[in-house]
Amino acid sequence: MSSSAHKPLVFIISAPSGSGKSTLVKELLKLVPNLDFSISYTTRAPRGSEQNGKQYYFVSRSEFDKMVRENEFLEHAEVFGNCYGTARRFLREAEKNGHDLLLDIDVQGAEQILRKLPGAVSIFILPPDRKTLEERLRKRSEDREEVIQRRLITASREIQNYRRYNYILVNDRLPESIEMLRAIVCFERKARSGEPLTGECAKTAAIADRCRLANVGDRLKPILASFESPVESGAG
Ligand code: ADP
Ligand code: 5GP
């Protein structure tokens, strides 16, 4: 080893919109110390109570393009007609502070990060089924009906990519989902440290293990099937 500098463990979280990713990330950040959230840059307009520099940095297309030209992004992609990017500086800052880094990015971004940082840990969040996803999108009441329908169609497509991720987390009951996400992060940190897994850690490891892609198997079948069946509108 030439250097003892901390190499941040990078966690990638992807999910179809409305699965509960923001909710889970917010709770995770409260529970886990030394985990930074990478605030993405986007050309989309702020929604609801979103504030610049909190959920996102909201920039113009020309500002975004300038950042691309100046190689400031670790990855960037177009999602729902808007540009999104992860700034390299978050990784540098995490490294400097001895922290790990959490990225909330789409499947295209995840692919780019995994090419550059093969040690990144990827987590895909799924809703329990299509109907629940539709209910959550409505409950959030941020989108017009046509946008909700578009998000559901996109979700069916995005979900097909689940196999590219290390862990699959089905966000059914919130407290359990938070616990599973926490367990994945804690287990991966412990595994990297090389320390033995004893007591509480062994329990945490068992929870994380159940979410591994290789272990979710049949539990995913009904979820995937619910997104394949002909679209039934739950509106009204
Ligand atoms: P995303 O960030 O994936 O688009 P949100 O975190 O905004 O999704 O969640 C969408 C809606 O679903 C919100 O109203 C949120 O409170 C709700 N929600 C999230 N997780 C759960 C859950 N496990 N059970 C019930 N409702 C949930
Ligand atoms: P929203 O606009 O609903 O917040 O996010 C739309 C999608 O963009 C989500 O799937 C979210 O994960 C993704 N996203 C947010 N930030 C980034 C980013 O920096 N890079 C990429 N590739 N996707 C992002």
Side-chain angles (χ1 to χ4, degrees), residues 16-23 136 139-140 171-174:
S17 179
S19 308
K21 184 177 49 173
S22 319
T23 308
R136 288 186 188 163
K139 187 170 99 181
R140 197 171 63 177
N171 179 21
D172 194 348
R173 280 194 293 265
L174 194 57

Side-chain angles (χ1 to χ4, degrees), residues 15 21 40 44 47 56 75 77 79 84-86 104-106 109:
K21 184 177 49 173
S40 295
R44 85 149 160 77
R47 275 199 307 246
Y56 285 104
E75 65 76 33
V79 188
Y84 294 82
T86 303
D104 167 348
I105 58 177
D106 85 324

Side-chain angles (χ1 to χ4, degrees), residues 34-200:
N34 302 336
L35 183 63
D36 294 349
F37 179 68
S38 160
I39 304 170
S40 295
Y41 285 75
T42 182
T43 59
R44 85 149 160 77
R47 275 199 307 246
S49 59
E50 285 179 336
Q51 288 172 319
N52 188 38
K54 199 146 184 242
Q55 292 81 9
Y56 285 104
Y57 291 105
F58 297 98
V59 294
S60 65
R61 182 64 200 250
S62 64
E63 285 170 300
F64 192 93
D65 288 345
K66 182 165 179 276
M67 289 183 74
V68 172
R69 281 197 306 276
E70 293 177 355
N71 198 24
E72 287 191 42
F73 291 126
L74 202 52
E75 65 76 33
H76 62 93
E78 195 178 310
V79 188
F80 291 125
N82 292 302
C83 300
Y84 294 82
T86 303
R88 288 182 193 278
R89 72 180 164 85
F90 281 95
L91 189 60
R92 284 198 299 267
E93 277 165 27
E95 183 162 0
K96 194 175 77 195
N97 297 326
H99 290 179
D100 294 325
L101 188 65
L102 183 67
L103 311 181
D104 167 348
I105 58 177
D106 85 324
V107 172
Q108 308 168 71
E111 219 171 79
Q112 295 176 46
I113 295 288
L114 287 166
R115 251 183 269 131
K116 288 183 181 154
L117 307 168
V121 176
S122 56
I123 305 162
F124 196 79
I125 296 169
L126 282 173
D129 53 44
R130 187 187 184 283
K131 189 163 165 283
T132 309
L133 180 64
E134 186 164 357
E135 283 164 8
R136 288 186 188 163
L137 285 167
R138 282 188 211 295
K139 187 170 99 181
R140 197 171 63 177
S141 51
E142 276 181 354
D143 300 317
R144 294 189 314 275
E145 184 55 33
E146 68 204 63
V147 178
I148 291 180
Q149 293 307 325
R150 190 156 59 101
R151 289 199 190 281
L152 286 166
I153 292 166
T154 307
S156 308
R157 204 176 54 230
E158 287 173 334
I159 279 172
Q160 308 306 320
N161 292 297
Y162 76 92
R163 287 183 201 82
R164 301 175 186 203
Y165 289 73
N166 301 126
Y167 291 97
I168 310 294
L169 199 162
V170 179
N171 179 21
D172 194 348
R173 280 194 293 265
L174 194 57
E176 285 168 25
S177 303
I178 296 166
E179 187 48 26
M180 288 190 275
L181 191 53
R182 195 191 65 83
I184 293 167
V185 171
C186 294
F187 167 71
E188 288 288 341
R189 281 180 159 180
K190 196 79 184 167
R192 184 187 52 177
S193 76
E195 290 166 26
L197 293 166
T198 52
E200 261 321 290

